[in-house]
Amino acid sequence: MITRNKRHWPTSTLRTNTRFNARRSGILSSLLFAGASLSLSALDLVYQDDFDGDGVELNLGTGAGMEVVFSGTSGNWTDNNENLEFIATTSGGSRAGIATTGQFDLSQGFRLEVTYNVASLTVVKETGHTTLSNRVNFGLVDELIKNEEDETTTRDVFGVSPSNHYGLGFNLTDSASSPTATSPPVGLNFIGGDGIVVPISNGQPFTVGVHTLVLEADMEGNWSYSIDGAEATAGNFSEAGVTFDLTRDYHFYAYGQNDESAFQIVSLTVEATQSETELELEIARSSDGSELDFAWSNSTGTFYDLLSTTDLGLALEAWTPVAKGLSADGSGINTFTTALPADPKTFYVVQETEPLFYASFENDNGGFTAINNSTESIWEHGLPSGGGIGGSVTSGNGGSAGAWGTALTSYYSVGTDTFLRSPVIDLTNVTAASLSFAEAADFLPADTAEVYLIDDETDALIESTPIYISTDTRLTNASWTMVEPISLPASAYGQAVRLEFRFVGTNPGNFLGWYIDDVLVAED
């Protein structure tokens, strides 16, 4: 495990109750301003389907499949290997509704992401209203009313036929020249189980082509939605005079009608907000005023990026990295210090992230492979327990139970020549990355301890020179130290690579060799 300096931090006097949802399967991200204490919510993936040919009823992604719950005059939905497509054969009469077979517990909030394809739009000339050739809508409903004898019960529930459904969703078609409560306009609509559709917002228009819509709602009645990453349209249900009940269990439901097959769902993701945890970011100036000291609570085994910007209008991906791949400190609090920014109006983000590669060697060998180029000592994985005139190594980094070493329990032999190779690290879509790791060194100046990058398939050196050379300047101390991030060379990117730790030793005395732990490759 990686450990860092621990400090005590004063309690901030500035707080905000602003709440930000995390993104994507529990990977946390939240804007945290100086002195802010924010409620951070993780998201649990409860349904995901890319409609890649596994059929409507079967979903090889997350969650059960879907079923056609209503069909009229040859209307149907099908998985065509690329998307979920509404199929119609006659004008007006062809219609069908489809829903997830399972329901979702969204009691603490949710995030719904739908990528859809609108193939055509038709202008109704006598009114000037724009309408889809197919009447379509989709969203979340609590119960499915399946009455095959009465096709009016389960239809376009977020449009002209809410029936007794309860839910929240989008109507993509303006189906009347003069929209009313029972024939609502395009946009986000609430249905309360009483046959009335309540318009919530039409802040972002629907247009032809492939688009991605994200809808979020929380326990406080806040909602927001965005199409193709546009600035979110947001509000509170109370502004429309309604309350959306999250304690109900919900299906995803979609409806199509008419004859041009103009609507497809390319992918569907439903994420449920999980129990909230308090995440605090505290920022303080150093005593001389030249630096900023950061501290935030963490989760064991996680990594964090610290980013900054002077323009809150920028997407998070465009923020400037301050530090990346910071591992969680065992104390439960991460700390970091950086120079005071030139612009006094600078904003900071801390977000949980996944590194390109990480091996702690705590529970296994990390997939590393040892190669012996002689008949002498070879890299070994396990708990170190050696000691000699050059110091002792009796654990992994930070007291952990695992590490790699050239001799775990004794001294390395004269003539040792051994390589340690990592698993494959994919840098295909990476343009900048760094390597860091912990090491304990107990060897002579004449010995060689180097790190190289090698080709994944041929084992050939990517660069003829090492990216790191270790030296032992403390001949009576072999304690663990962190190697500062090493920028990988430009020749490493656009391909799959492996790390190779090479040790060649002579050892005329009682020396332990070279130990490594907590190997991390993080994108810069």
Side-chain angles (χ1 to χ4, degrees), residues 76-88:
N76 202 2
W77 287 87
T78 182
D79 182 344
N80 67 7
N81 295 329
E82 294 181 351
N83 47 52
L84 181 67
E85 182 173 16
F86 171 67
I87 300 295

Side-chain angles (χ1 to χ4, degrees), residues 36-305:
S37 172
L38 297 184
S39 180
L40 180 64
S41 303
L43 290 175
D44 181 30
L45 183 67
V46 295
Y47 195 92
Q48 201 283 322
D49 197 345
D50 292 326
F51 307 109
D52 49 5
D54 50 10
V56 170
E57 296 81 8
L58 177 65
N59 176 23
L60 297 180
T62 301
M66 304 182 77
E67 61 176 334
V68 177
V69 295
F70 164 75
S71 179
T73 319
S74 303
N76 202 2
W77 287 87
T78 182
D79 182 344
N80 67 7
N81 295 329
E82 294 181 351
N83 47 52
L84 181 67
E85 182 173 16
F86 171 67
I87 300 295
T89 58
T90 62
S91 177
S94 290
R95 61 196 70 184
I98 190 168
T100 55
T101 55
Q103 289 177 284
F104 316 123
D105 178 1
L106 307 177
S107 56
Q108 298 185 66
F110 67 87
R111 180 178 185 272
L112 170 67
E113 179 176 314
V114 183
T115 298
Y116 59 90
N117 182 20
V118 178
S120 66
L121 290 170
T122 300
V123 176
V124 182
K125 295 182 179 179
E126 62 271 21
T127 64
H129 282 266
T130 299
T131 180
L132 289 173
S133 297
N134 286 24
R135 277 168 49 185
V136 291
N137 51 70
F138 58 83
L140 300 171
V141 295
D142 67 336
E143 296 292 341
L144 299 170
I145 302 173
K146 299 166 62 175
N147 184 346
E148 297 180 0
E149 295 181 358
D150 181 4
E151 67 177 27
T152 64
T153 55
T154 304
R155 292 176 58 182
D156 50 342
V157 298
F158 301 108
V160 299
S161 304
S163 187
N164 295 320
H165 291 91
Y166 186 100
L168 182 70
F170 291 89
N171 176 31
L172 278 67
T173 56
D174 187 349
S175 54
S177 58
S178 300
T180 66
T182 57
S183 187
V186 177
L188 177 63
N189 295 324
F190 167 79
I191 50 177
D194 55 2
I196 302 297
V197 178
V198 179
I200 301 297
S201 173
N202 186 21
Q204 299 191 28
F206 295 97
T207 58
V208 297
V210 178
H211 304 282
T212 297
L213 183 150
V214 175
L215 169 66
E216 297 185 63
D218 65 19
M219 297 172 63
E220 287 75 39
N222 299 308
W223 58 265
S224 69
Y225 74 92
S226 175
I227 299 176
D228 296 335
E231 183 177 354
T233 300
N236 191 281
F237 291 110
S238 61
E239 297 166 351
V242 299
T243 300
F244 183 56
D245 185 2
L246 286 172
T247 64
R248 304 175 184 231
D249 292 337
Y250 289 92
H251 298 269
F252 174 82
Y253 176 81
Y255 174 83
Q257 180 175 334
N258 280 2
D259 63 345
E260 295 189 23
S261 297
F263 185 67
Q264 299 93 31
I265 295 177
V266 180
S267 66
L268 167 65
T269 301
V270 183
E271 295 170 294
T273 306
Q274 297 305 295
S275 58
E276 298 178 349
T277 57
E278 190 76 7
L279 177 64
E280 293 186 355
L281 173 68
E282 295 183 351
I283 307 176
R285 287 196 182 191
S286 60
S287 57
D288 63 4
S290 64
E291 297 178 317
L292 287 180
D293 293 327
F294 297 81
W296 64 91
S297 55
N298 63 39
S299 300
T300 303
T302 55
F303 294 85
Y304 298 89
D305 292 344

Side-chain angles (χ1 to χ4, degrees), residues 307-478:
L307 314 174
S308 71
T309 187
T310 57
D311 180 7
L312 285 179
L314 290 178
L316 190 61
E317 293 76 12
W319 288 38
T320 302
V322 178
K324 302 196 72 173
L326 301 172
S327 61
D329 188 281
S331 67
I333 300 293
N334 268 53
T335 65
F336 187 81
T337 299
T338 189
L340 195 69
D343 191 328
K345 191 176 181 181
T346 300
F347 303 91
Y348 291 88
V349 163
V350 61
Q351 64 174 356
E352 188 174 317
T353 186
E354 294 182 352
L356 296 170
F357 176 81
Y358 177 65
S360 68
F361 310 128
E362 195 81 19
N363 300 313
D364 54 43
N365 66 8
F368 281 59
T369 303
I371 298 172
N372 198 353
N373 301 311
S374 68
T375 58
E376 305 303 329
S377 301
I378 187 173
W379 284 97
E380 300 173 316
H381 171 260
L383 177 65
S385 59
I389 61 174
S392 61
V393 181
T394 57
S395 72
N397 181 43
S400 68
W404 277 92
T406 52
L408 289 177
T409 61
S410 61
Y411 314 123
Y412 65 95
S413 305
V414 175
T416 293
D417 186 351
T418 181
F419 296 173
L420 179 66
R421 290 174 177 169
S422 76
V424 174
I425 302 171
D426 187 5
L427 302 180
T428 304
N429 298 314
V430 177
T431 57
S434 298
L435 164 69
S436 61
F437 60 95
E439 68 172 350
D442 183 34
F443 50 81
L444 294 174
D447 298 337
T448 301
E450 299 172 333
V451 182
Y452 289 84
L453 285 174
I454 62 174
D455 183 88
D456 167 43
E457 296 182 355
T458 66
D459 297 336
L461 295 178
I462 292 176
E463 292 280 346
S464 60
T465 56
I467 62 173
Y468 176 72
I469 300 175
S470 178
T471 58
D472 180 11
T473 58
R474 304 170 301 168
L475 297 183
T476 59
N477 186 336

